[in-house]
Amino acid sequence: MIKKAFLYLLLLLNFSNLLSQSDNLSQFDDKLLHFGFALSSNTAGFHIEKTFPGSDSMASVLVNPKSGFSLGVVTSVNINPNFKIRFVLPSLSFQERVIEYTYFNASNQEIKDSKVLNSTYLEFPVLLKFRTDRIHNFAVYSLAGFRYGIDMNSNIDVNNDGASLQDQVIKLSKTDFGAEVGGGVDLFLKYFKLGIELKLGVGMKNMLYLNQNNAASINETPTNFESTIQSLKSRVWTFSFTFEG
């Protein structure tokens, strides 16, 4: 709500400039480099592949996406007015996901449990930006690129041995990588350029640390919460405001 109110106020203050026949920042595309920052909200989840080995008690496993936020420093390299390379380095992304379980205990009673997975990613996205020609103070663009992230809040060192069901955690890999695609609109205001965009990040790595491929080599036994999952791959929607001068 705060971001929406801020955006509405910003547009109201600059509405006359946007509608004017004169072009704001008319020499913006003449510069090789532009710097700024990005403020974003995200909705993080997983693409999940499930397995129920030797356990008839587990009824369902669901991923419940949650909201978070991101911020980063923007560097844009101007190849030409329609093609740019954009770095958001570094980008700090706070993400939360919840995995919800439904299973039956020894008395055949239905039990619901959930595990909250929090991550704080230091991300390094590199994006190609394809922009239309300006129509006075407007332009539309698309984005495609690659993202690499390091979880600064990684839980891979947590010891689940002997822990209660409530205290057991689902271990996620410390690093992630994947593709990003999206698009948005550039608004050339009097003193800076405002970008409003929506992106989808699709992870390519199985984020389940104790998966069937490496649990034996790590010499750890997955918990019942982990053994019901074959694969977790990140899915993140990001809505951003970018400010460039």
Side-chain angles (χ1 to χ4, degrees):
M1 292 300 293
I2 295 177
K3 289 184 177 179
K4 288 183 179 179
F6 175 75
L7 176 60
Y8 293 150
L9 176 61
L10 192 63
L11 292 179
L12 285 173
L13 290 174
N14 292 274
F15 193 65
S16 60
N17 288 323
L18 290 172
L19 294 181
S20 68
Q21 294 300 309
S22 61
D23 292 347
N24 297 324
L25 305 175
S26 58
Q27 297 180 331
F28 190 89
D29 291 322
D30 296 338
K31 296 181 181 179
L32 176 62
L33 294 175
H34 291 279
F35 301 97
F37 61 95
L39 298 177
S40 310
S41 61
N42 64 63
T43 302
F46 289 113
H47 172 71
I48 185 171
E49 295 180 12
K50 295 169 280 190
T51 179
F52 303 105
S55 175
D56 296 329
S57 63
M58 190 66 68
S60 68
V61 181
L62 300 173
V63 176
N64 184 10
K66 294 292 183 179
S67 297
F69 69 95
S70 311
L71 51 91
V73 178
V74 175
T75 302
S76 181
V77 182
N78 183 37
I79 305 302
N80 61 50
N82 304 109
F83 177 59
K84 307 171 191 302
I85 303 174
R86 195 174 76 182
F87 306 90
V88 189
L89 308 176
S91 180
L92 196 61
S93 180
F94 299 88
Q95 300 178 12
E96 179 180 339
R97 300 77 100 206
V98 177
I99 300 183
E100 299 176 342
Y101 295 85
T102 302
Y103 58 93
F104 296 93
N105 62 14
S107 302
N108 204 34
Q109 294 176 319
E110 184 179 274
I111 306 295
K112 292 184 180 293
D113 204 347
S114 62
K115 294 296 177 183
V116 179
L117 286 75
N118 290 312
S119 297
T120 303
Y121 282 104
L122 187 63
E123 295 185 330
F124 304 91
V126 179
L127 299 168
L128 302 179
K129 179 178 178 179
F130 303 91
R131 201 198 74 192
T132 64
D133 292 335
R134 288 180 57 168
I135 303 175
H136 293 298
N137 295 314
F138 296 87
V140 178
Y141 62 87
S142 61
L143 295 166
F146 180 83
R147 168 188 52 82
Y148 178 81
I150 302 172
D151 188 359
M152 310 301 290
N153 194 32
S154 175
N155 61 2
I156 61 174
D157 294 327
V158 173
N159 186 358
N160 282 320
D161 292 342
S164 65
L165 291 177
Q166 183 178 1
D167 294 332
Q168 289 178 358
V169 301
I170 297 175
K171 296 187 180 184
L172 298 179
S173 295
K174 189 175 180 64
T175 60
D176 189 21
F177 60 87
E180 288 193 336
V181 294
V185 58
D186 277 336
L187 306 178
F188 293 84
L189 307 180
K190 187 174 181 179
Y191 298 109
F192 63 90
K193 180 177 68 66
L194 171 65
I196 305 173
E197 68 186 38
L198 180 66
K199 299 191 301 289
L200 172 63
V202 181
M204 299 178 180
K205 178 180 180 179
N206 184 359
M207 293 299 294
L208 187 65
Y209 182 66
L210 294 178
N211 57 61
Q212 293 184 1
N213 297 325
N214 67 3
S217 61
I218 298 174
N219 197 27
E220 289 189 43
T221 302
T223 66
N224 288 336
F225 297 106
E226 293 165 319
S227 62
T228 60
I229 301 172
Q230 174 68 28
S231 174
L232 287 174
K233 293 184 179 180
S234 58
R235 294 287 187 274
V236 183
W237 287 96
T238 305
F239 180 71
S240 302
F241 300 136
T242 63
F243 304 83
E244 295 177 49

